[in-house]
Amino acid sequence: MRIAKSALIDPEKNEIYGMAAIALSFFVFAYSSRFGQISILAYYGVWFPLVVVNYRQVLGNYVRYLWIFAFGILAMLSTFWSDAASVTMRASIQYLTHIVCALIAMRLISIQTLTRGALIGITVVLLYSLLFGIHLFDALDGTYSFVGAFSSKNQLGFYASLGVIFAVASVVVLRQKGIWLPVAGVTGLLSAYSLLASQSATSVITTAAVVGLIIGFLPLGMLSPANRRGIFLALGGLGALLVVASLQFGLLDAILGVFGKDTTLTGRTYLWQQGIEAAHRAPIFGVGYQGFWVAGFADAERLWNDFFITGRSGFHFHNTYIEVVVENGLVGMLLLGIVLYGTLLGHLRSVLLRENDPQGLIFFAVCALFVVRSFVEIDIIFPYQIGSFLLFFAAGKLSLPARKTQASARLPAFRNASSVRYSGLGEENGQPR
């Protein structure tokens, strides 16, 4: 049986394959530590073979993606000065190939297919956790928490957060109908339950903030771009003042108290202090990508003992910027910041300037989640993680031209996502963009 190429690489015709590939990828990101190398091979197997189908369309022009690859390239180069060269080389190759998979997916998967695949994948991930999950001792909280089939309640909470966000986006931004409306409902309810079960303060607070952001942007979409920018700046300034005022009156302590936290964030401030001290030893280029948390290294062993981490894995500084500076220095933090904040601002600009851009709103919301979580978690600097995959997926979309159908100009902003067609191939005059 012959399968048409368009069923694999045309964003307007490959919905079935695309949804399956996204759902499988999300499951692998969640449980690759459980299922091992076979799951990683399955992840590579749904993306890399597409290069053979039509390498020009699938890969495009990688010169346009240099700013996206910059941090990954630095991670690989850090092999030359890492004290754990073999660890750094292996991890950096995994990270670079992970970025390539995300960019392949970006060129072939539309926002509608991504959202539907995410709903399916996250639902399967959470169901698996609820069926086979366990409770574990949290070294930072000093309590036993439900972690599902993960090694941390924060990872369970992260998937639940994304489930809520994609469910809301499917209903209020893309306006999905038919079977996808109840699917979004099931995913949203399952994610909300998992969010509460995880008792992850970080996930609950950030999810509420991002959902509020999505809903708050909907009325702005009905305004002209000029008015939209002015109101956004005014509301942004007012929001900043309210945050500062709330912190001055002890709102942060009250919120932390609701979740049983204290001002030390249950040990995170001590961990951050230790990370800052470690960063001073190699501030420019760091000790090497994933070259700090290595068994047998004195500083890592000391911190593992301080936080009762007997497994010697799955631990970090709980702050993306400190982790990056320790491993890849200030240069690494700058390069990663360009990707993270460049993607956030790029999609924000798209939302504010374009007449109708549901894709931009969804990716802006997802990147906003990453930015907020980056101060207390690490979601985007490791391979085979849902956070890094979505970040590079969203970053790559900024490099592709967006095309609208004639009907889109007659529809209210964000009313019907099917009226907006995005080029997943990014071609112009037959040449990859």
Side-chain angles (χ1 to χ4, degrees):
M1 182 180 68
R2 298 182 61 184
I3 300 176
K5 291 182 179 180
S6 60
L8 299 176
I9 64 174
D10 187 341
E12 297 180 0
K13 299 179 181 179
N14 67 352
E15 186 175 54
I16 294 177
Y17 182 85
M19 289 189 300
I22 291 294
L24 173 65
S25 298
F26 281 19
F27 189 83
V28 171
F29 299 153
Y31 302 129
S32 60
S33 60
R34 282 176 168 259
F35 294 98
Q37 295 180 351
I38 188 66
S39 64
I40 300 299
L41 291 175
Y43 165 60
Y44 285 139
V46 297
W47 299 117
F48 275 129
L50 298 178
V51 177
V52 180
V53 177
N54 189 323
Y55 75 93
R56 288 181 178 272
Q57 294 181 355
V58 173
L59 295 178
N61 184 0
Y62 268 45
V63 174
R64 299 171 62 87
Y65 307 143
L66 285 179
W67 66 282
I68 299 175
F69 277 105
F71 177 73
I73 293 172
L74 177 66
M76 176 167 283
L77 291 176
S78 68
T79 301
F80 292 104
W81 59 81
S82 173
D83 290 333
S86 60
V87 173
T88 297
M89 174 171 285
R90 178 181 179 180
S92 61
I93 291 174
Q94 291 173 338
Y95 193 58
L96 276 174
T97 54
H98 178 61
I99 295 174
V100 172
C101 286
L103 292 178
I104 290 174
M106 171 274 299
R107 292 180 62 82
L108 306 180
I109 304 299
S110 68
I111 186 61
Q112 177 173 276
T113 301
L114 173 68
T115 302
R116 291 177 175 180
L119 293 177
I120 296 172
I122 292 174
T123 296
V124 174
V125 167
L126 295 181
L127 282 175
Y128 185 89
S129 268
L130 293 176
L131 291 173
F132 303 102
I134 60 173
H135 288 74
L136 285 180
F137 178 74
D138 191 316
L140 290 177
D141 290 343
T143 61
Y144 281 89
S145 304
F146 180 69
V147 300
F150 297 90
S151 59
S152 165
K153 68 179 183 181
N154 293 321
Q155 282 302 303
L156 173 63
F158 186 34
Y159 271 83
S161 296
L162 289 170
V164 171
I165 291 170
F166 276 113
V168 171
S170 177
V171 174
V172 305
V173 180
L174 296 179
R175 299 293 178 93
Q176 299 286 289
K177 299 184 183 300
I179 190 175
W180 293 107
L181 189 59
V183 168
V186 170
T187 303
L189 291 174
L190 187 63
S191 299
Y193 175 80
S194 300
L195 198 60
L196 296 176
S198 71
Q199 296 182 335
S200 172
T202 299
S203 300
V204 172
I205 294 171
T206 54
T207 302
V210 173
V211 169
L213 183 69
I214 294 174
I215 295 175
F217 259 100
L218 294 179
L220 285 180
M222 301 177 184
L223 304 174
S224 67
N227 292 331
R228 203 181 301 165
R229 292 194 299 272
I231 293 178
F232 173 79
L233 291 175
L235 292 177
L238 178 62
L241 291 176
L242 289 175
V243 169
V244 172
S246 299
L247 293 178
Q248 289 294 325
F249 286 100
L251 179 61
L252 177 60
D253 292 337
I255 294 175
L256 292 175
V258 171
F259 293 94
K261 309 290 184 180
D262 54 31
T263 53
T264 69
L265 297 176
T266 55
R268 277 185 173 86
T269 53
Y270 169 74
L271 193 59
W272 295 344
Q273 179 187 21
Q274 296 299 303
I276 292 172
E277 291 180 3
H280 286 160
R281 298 166 197 167
I284 306 302
F285 292 107
V287 299
Y289 180 66
Q290 294 194 23
F292 181 87
W293 300 101
V294 178
F297 284 19
D299 288 336
E301 293 285 351
R302 174 174 57 82
L303 291 174
W304 280 327
N305 288 329
D306 288 346
F307 288 92
F308 310 103
I309 307 298
T310 58
R312 298 299 191 267
S313 64
F315 196 60
H316 47 69
F317 287 112
H318 281 272
N319 182 291
T320 299
Y321 311 101
I322 293 175
E323 189 81 20
V324 170
V325 172
V326 170
E327 295 183 354
N328 293 106
L330 294 172
V331 175
M333 186 176 69
L334 174 63
L335 296 179
L336 184 67
I338 289 173
V339 178
L340 177 59
Y341 288 92
T343 304
L344 175 77
L345 296 177
H347 286 293
L348 173 61
R349 180 178 182 274
S350 177
V351 172
L352 294 178
L353 295 183
R354 289 180 182 170
E355 198 67 34
N356 190 349
D357 189 13
Q359 174 179 265
L361 177 56
I362 293 174
F363 284 139
F364 171 66
V366 171
C367 289
L369 177 70
F370 295 156
V371 168
V372 175
R373 286 178 58 91
S374 67
F375 294 95
V376 291
E377 291 296 337
I378 296 179
D379 302 316
I380 59 175
I381 63 172
F382 295 135
Y384 317 135
Q385 283 193 336
I386 190 172
S388 52
F389 180 86
L390 289 174
L391 173 63
F392 292 115
F393 189 107
K397 285 293 186 183
L398 292 174
S399 67
L400 298 180
R403 295 183 291 114
K404 298 182 179 181
T405 63
Q406 294 179 352
S408 67
R410 299 192 298 269
L411 294 173
F414 308 134
R415 180 180 178 186
N416 189 342
S418 63
S419 67
V420 184
R421 297 171 62 191
Y422 296 94
S423 170
L425 306 183
E427 291 191 343
E428 186 173 84
N429 299 326
Q431 295 300 319
R433 292 291 300 267

